Amino acid sequence: MAIEKILKDDASEEKGERARMASFVGAIAITDLVKTTLGPKGMDKILQSTGRGNEVTVTNDGATILKSLHIDNPAAKVLIDISKVQDDEVGDGTTSVVVLAGELLREAEKLVAAKIHPMTIISGYRMAAECARNALLQRVVDNKENAEKFKSDLMKIAMTTLSSKILSQDKEHFAQLAVDAVMRLKGSTNLEAIQIIKKPGGSLKDSFLDEGFILDKKIGLGQPKRIENAKILVANTAMDTDKVKIYGARVRVDSMSKVAEIEGAEKEKMREKVKKILGHGINCFVNRQLIYNFPEELFADAGILAIEHADFDGIERLALVTGGEIASTFDNPESVKLGHCKLIEEIMIGEDKLIHFSGVEMGQACTIVLRGASHHVLDEAERSLHDALCVLSQTVNDTRVLLGGGWPEMVMAKEVDELARKTPGKKSHAIEAFSRALVAIPTIIADNAGLDSADLVAKLRAEHHKEGCNAGIDVISGSVGDMAELGISEAFKVKQAVLLSATEAAEMILRVDEIITCAPRKREDRM
Amino acid sequence: MALAFDEYGRPFIIVKEQEQKTRLRGIEAQKANISAGKAVARILRTSLGPKGMDKMLQSPDGDVTITNDGATILEQMDVDNQIAKLMVELSRSQDYEIGDGTTGVVVMAGALLEQAERLLERGIHPIRIAEGYEMASRIAVEHLDHIAQKFDFGPTNIEPLVQTCMTTLSSKIVNRCKRPLAEIAVKAVLSVADLERKDVNLDLIKVEGKVGGKLEDTELVYGITVDKDMSHPQMPKKIEDAKIAILTCPFEPPKPKTKHKVDIDTVEKFQTLRQQEQKYFDDMVQKCKDVGATLVICQWGFDDEANHLLMHRNLPAVRWVGGVELELIAIATGGRIVPRFQELTPEKLGRAGLVREKSFGTTKDKMLYIEHCANSRAVTIFIRGGNKMMIEETKRSIHDALCVARNLIRNNSIVYGGGSAEISCSIAVEAAADKYPGVEQYAIRAFADALDSVSIALAENSGLQPIETLSAVKSQQIKENNPHFGIDCNDVGTNDMREQNVFETLIGKQQQILLATQVVKMILKIDDVISPSDY
């Protein structure tokens, strides 16, 4: 008698070896996809969206690539998820984490083929990951005390992060930009305060950091173009038709003259509101919502600069920069905190006019203006800069720093190898495999740079056998070099997150011995 | 088939539209049902025990869940077969009642069905089998009472509780840091437990998760976390000795609930309404201020103007807080939920020692921590982990651990795990079988075999020789008359579960046996399956 069908019609079920194979294949396919973007000589990908206009994105950022993929393989989804988390949590290392998880699974596949139980592999991996983390902890450098040195550390980290991106040509310039911007935050990780404005035109080198604040808006007609010693009121209030919101009131009249009267009253109300605003003794008024022509005219008459429709983030940032508060009621002018700045003027970048606030009270926020040849370049530049900013802001909180260029992987691999030798039992195979997966990262970096990876990695391994070695791969000259001298550094927090989440993901996929796919939800046929 | 003949030999139809229905009867129906039940059990069999494997489930919308929890697997599997649905129900009711052992109960039911199939082939009537099972389950449950041990714990001595929770957690992916998680679970349960009445309200424990960080960063917050931030970006991020007004009325212009409208037809009306409106907002804020609140938590949104007024009067506020969270906050801070501004009084304010905002990662994720509450009986377990699936799985594991701790507080009897309880029951049932005259004897023996097969599955999953291990343990138990020998899944070197500190709750185990027996009885009693045929 046939075995009863348990699942629904379109559902599928894969068991044991087949399930494991499906997840290995999926995960490794994803790894191979992003592998070529790793390292300073990594290549970019073109992504074409299926949406309207078939927009094209050119990128080197692992998280961006993976986010745009539509994938059906559940194991691959796990990898995409860890890359997304890495992006949210530390901002960089999104490619590395996927590659490491993929390499761990690739090694695990070999072990499973050699009839080692997945649970044994997992416990080996766990021991290895713990040991690798300790190895890194022993070798971290912490320059928290020494501000001068710490700043140079930040500089190095920024340059290392940027060197794999489109900005690598001007990495010193941008590293300086990023470090300056992050130092202004004074330890907060709120990157909202750093505004990035993209303006096509010019070259990447023309990008600059502005200490003040730039608002991408035009100044209203007939209003002053330049204000010194500005007193700014930042507001979030309706300046169109100020409705009466109470009790669901509405206007219902029976004659034309009444309409005119009420319109008059409304106008009067607006005029009063403007008067109240003027009562604050300001000369600049920034509103989050629309300002209609009528109040705008009133402002112009009073010689006040009125800016409408600044987006909410802009408002928040402006309030942060100028030290004012965001106001919505205007009855108590004496107690509302106004913002101050030395000078407001209209400036031109490329062909666009922008409003520039300089000499602001609190220097926490700042603006980076990116210039570049095309939108694609600018988008990618923004992503790269964002990565650098994220890493830097995290490093300011956790000041531990490591060398880069494959050095941490080699250090970990060496310690893990030691552990493998000491561990009895089948676990030692898994630990050895972990170290092989770690070494795969410098190998891929070298491969992507078109170097002889086998030779280089062997040399590197030999170098690392000495105590206190700083050797890593110098991609520029194509040889093994001293990373400390070359000034290639990475943040400890990034490396640790890569190591831990990659191990966690690999473990998760390894534990699976059955995949059940439910029948896809039936969509309404829209045809 | 469904045709019957009346006394004149004329056929008449019993089942309507019989052509369109498929029908299975008698032994065929029982066999089909049993094989469906077995198939479900087979899926879960490999998830049993500390070395059990996980299942990856893809939902109809493409979301991936990776889990080891029996109830979750079955729930997400979206089964179509009626009997399979019964098994899903079975695991769910174990989940509701006990919270743990959801895999074990299904494996047990599967084993019972498998044994029943053999008995059916020998021609024993299904009702006799069912009755035999019933007797056997009674013997087993009694025996469990007999071998169970009480153990002592108190607010100071939590070690035994932690050990039991660790047993539960060791089969999950989080076993890497089972010790800290078990401690968190136990502390959470103890802080909300009513030790006098031996009751625990698990609703007071909130389990929150946020991706990022590592599993070790998971923490127990003596208070509430809310996934919200202050309504105005410039409000203070930290409030000490907060007096909290908990509101369910919006800081918005009032809208009459009835359909009527206020018509404005004269300028005077327009102006009076305008003034009223301004005053209204002012009043609302003033009322909160008057009763001495230093923080407002509101279920609804704020109007821009009200928001500014709050900021202006230096009254921090949080908006759009969910109803459940609002309730928890009210419990924790000892405040009352106030539905109207007019009803605010100083006594209705909640109190918390510290309210602070904490931001995570590079995105602007913020959470609000409300700590050192007046009534510290509501706690939050805040989970961190590498990815979303990990967080979800950790939440499920923590839930299991919490349930176990709760069960122990309700009833502090334990049995030893690692299959030792099953083996011991199996011996007792086997011995009792001979005393029963009649066909039931066979069913009782079959029940003992089914109990064994749970232990066999445990051994199989741990990579041991199943039959060899089982017979060794069994003979050891009989020889030394000690029910604490079980299967050494973790390769520790001893199979005395007392030394390994592997406990399970007595009620959990008893419930498993009773529920499994009940479902199997129900399945065996079905002798006719009528279902609409596919069209």
Side-chain angles (χ1 to χ4, degrees), chain B residues 84-314:
Chain B
K85 276 186 186 149
L86 271 183
M87 301 290 263
V88 176
E89 280 294 318
L90 165 70
S91 137
R92 197 180 296 156
S93 58
Q94 173 85 8
D95 194 26
Y96 285 160
E97 193 61 28
I98 307 293
D100 188 33
T102 51
T103 313
V105 69
V106 175
V107 173
M108 176 81 205
L112 285 174
L113 284 174
E114 200 171 332
Q115 296 294 335
E117 193 176 17
R118 272 183 223 158
L119 296 178
L120 281 175
E121 266 164 22
R122 291 162 102 179
I124 299 178
H125 193 272
I127 296 297
R128 305 298 286 271
I129 302 176
E131 268 164 22
Y133 277 179
E134 184 69 45
M135 291 172 195
S137 74
R138 222 174 296 138
I139 300 168
V141 168
E142 264 165 36
H143 181 71
L144 279 178
D145 267 332
H146 182 65
I147 62 168
Q149 293 187 342
K150 296 237 173 219
F151 75 149
D152 293 324
F153 63 88
T156 44
N157 176 22
I158 59 168
E159 190 56 29
L161 284 175
V162 173
Q163 292 287 358
T164 321
C165 287
M166 272 165 68
T167 310
T168 305
L169 290 175
S170 65
S171 67
K172 316 278 179 192
I173 193 166
V174 293
N175 58 7
R176 180 156 48 97
C177 48
K178 58 180 171 184
R179 174 90 212 180
L181 285 182
E183 275 172 17
I184 285 176
V186 171
K187 279 183 195 152
V189 168
L190 279 180
S191 58
V192 302
D194 187 342
L195 290 176
E196 298 283 297
R197 283 196 305 126
K198 295 200 170 187
D199 193 22
V200 183
N201 184 0
L202 284 188
D203 288 342
L204 293 175
I205 301 175
K206 195 164 154 238
V207 184
E208 276 276 343
K210 205 154 196 99
V211 284
K214 44 187 193 293
L215 200 54
E216 284 84 353
D217 295 338
T218 301
E219 56 178 346
L220 178 67
V221 181
Y222 288 98
I224 306 286
T225 61
V226 187
D227 202 352
K228 290 278 177 300
D229 52 359
M230 296 290 181
S231 64
H232 197 288
Q234 285 161 323
M235 284 177 181
K237 309 279 181 230
K238 194 174 162 191
I239 305 157
E240 278 171 30
D241 287 324
K243 295 199 187 79
I244 307 169
I246 306 161
L247 301 171
T248 52
C249 44
F251 273 99
E252 269 173 8
K255 293 191 180 75
K257 284 187 185 123
T258 47
K259 266 255 165 162
H260 83 270
K261 291 233 155 93
V262 179
D263 283 348
I264 303 173
D265 49 7
T266 63
V267 177
E268 291 77 49
K269 270 194 188 165
F270 182 79
Q271 266 155 2
T272 30
L273 267 178
R274 216 184 81 212
Q275 273 157 15
Q276 255 184 25
E277 179 181 294
Q278 276 171 350
K279 200 165 156 299
Y280 186 81
F281 284 130
D282 219 41
D283 278 356
M284 285 197 288
V285 179
Q286 195 54 44
K287 272 192 188 113
C288 299
K289 206 66 189 165
D290 281 347
V291 292
T294 53
L295 174 71
V296 175
I297 291 178
C298 184
Q299 195 176 7
W300 301 100
F302 298 163
D303 192 84
D304 285 340
E305 287 180 31
N307 200 2
H308 174 249
L309 273 175
L310 284 170
M311 156 73 200
H312 197 77
R313 299 278 178 85
N314 204 4

Side-chain angles (χ1 to χ4, degrees), chain B residues 378-396:
Chain B
V379 295
T380 305
I381 298 175
F382 189 62
I383 299 170
R384 308 297 313 271
N387 55 48
K388 206 171 64 215
M389 296 140 210
M390 190 78 188
I391 298 271
E392 289 302 314
E393 178 67 0
T394 312
K395 272 190 191 169
R396 283 188 288 269

Side-chain angles (χ1 to χ4, degrees), chain A residues 6 77 81 88 119 126 245 247 250 269 272 324 326-329 335 504 511 513-514 516 518 521, chain B residues 39 52 54-56 58 61-62 78 80 175-176 234 254 262 264 274 277 308 312 362 386-388:
Chain A
I6 300 177
K77 278 193 183 143
D81 199 49
D88 291 348
M119 283 296 168
R126 273 187 191 169
K245 289 170 280 187
Y247 302 132
R250 61 174 176 178
K269 185 185 169 195
E272 220 167 87
I326 302 174
S328 294
T329 54
S335 62
E504 233 168 52
R511 281 175 68 104
D513 77 334
E514 183 155 342
I516 297 166
C518 292
R521 197 182 295 283
Chain B
D54 289 3
K55 309 283 173 230
M56 192 183 265
Q58 201 167 12
D61 297 323
D78 198 12
D80 207 18
N175 58 7
R176 180 156 48 97
Q234 285 161 323
V262 179
I264 303 173
R274 216 184 81 212
E277 179 181 294
H308 174 249
H312 197 77
T362 60
N387 55 48
K388 206 171 64 215

Side-chain angles (χ1 to χ4, degrees), chain A residues 246-316:
Chain A
I246 202 163
Y247 302 132
R250 61 174 176 178
V251 178
R252 171 172 284 181
V253 290
D254 42 19
S255 74
M256 286 301 283
S257 60
K258 287 263 175 68
V259 177
E261 268 171 38
I262 287 185
E263 208 182 313
E266 253 173 33
K267 246 185 187 164
E268 195 51 48
K269 185 185 169 195
M270 187 48 73
R271 197 187 299 274
E272 220 167 87
K273 192 166 182 181
V274 172
K275 212 179 266 167
K276 265 189 214 155
I277 292 171
L278 295 183
H280 290 68
I282 53 164
N283 45 22
C284 175
F285 176 71
V286 186
N287 192 14
R288 185 190 154 205
Q289 297 174 23
L290 269 176
I291 303 179
Y292 265 26
N293 288 357
F294 176 64
E296 191 176 338
E297 192 192 314
L298 291 177
F299 282 122
D301 284 347
I304 285 179
L305 176 62
I307 303 164
E308 65 166 6
H309 226 238
D311 57 310
F312 194 72
D313 288 342
I315 281 281
E316 216 170 281

Side-chain angles (χ1 to χ4, degrees), chain A residues 188 190 316 320 364, chain B residues 228-240 294-295 311 314 316-318 354-359 366-371:
Chain A
S188 117
N190 185 7
E316 216 170 281
L320 210 66
Q364 271 211 9
Chain B
K228 290 278 177 300
D229 52 359
M230 296 290 181
S231 64
H232 197 288
Q234 285 161 323
M235 284 177 181
K237 309 279 181 230
K238 194 174 162 191
I239 305 157
E240 278 171 30
T294 53
L295 174 71
M311 156 73 200
N314 204 4
V318 188
L354 179 68
V355 178
R356 63 195 164 99
E357 205 178 87
K358 196 175 169 188
S359 55
K366 284 181 190 142
M367 305 255 314
L368 205 66
Y369 281 61
I370 302 173
E371 290 171 295

Side-chain angles (χ1 to χ4, degrees), chain B residues 497-528:
Chain B
M497 290 298 135
R498 202 161 33 168
E499 273 172 45
Q500 281 203 21
N501 282 326
V502 180
F503 312 120
E504 282 176 77
T505 55
L506 171 69
I507 36 177
K509 212 48 337 140
Q510 285 178 334
Q511 195 74 19
Q512 260 184 12
I513 291 176
L514 290 174
L515 280 176
T517 316
Q518 267 172 28
V519 166
V520 168
K521 257 174 73 187
M522 193 196 278
I523 294 175
L524 284 177
K525 275 186 169 171
I526 300 168
D527 77 336
D528 201 341

Side-chain angles (χ1 to χ4, degrees), chain B residues 385-455:
Chain B
N387 55 48
K388 206 171 64 215
M389 296 140 210
M390 190 78 188
I391 298 271
E392 289 302 314
E393 178 67 0
T394 312
K395 272 190 191 169
R396 283 188 288 269
S397 314
I398 288 274
H399 169 251
D400 283 6
L402 290 176
C403 290
V404 168
R406 176 194 61 181
N407 294 340
L408 280 175
I409 288 177
R410 278 193 188 155
N411 181 352
N412 63 351
S413 307
I414 51 150
V415 290
Y416 288 91
S420 66
E422 280 89 353
I423 295 171
S424 171
C425 283
S426 153
I427 295 170
V429 171
E430 184 92 56
D434 297 337
K435 288 178 206 143
Y436 283 88
V439 193
E440 282 85 359
Q441 200 186 91
Y442 287 91
I444 294 172
R445 261 193 218 116
F447 193 90
D449 285 345
L451 280 169
D452 280 349
S453 79
V454 176
S455 313

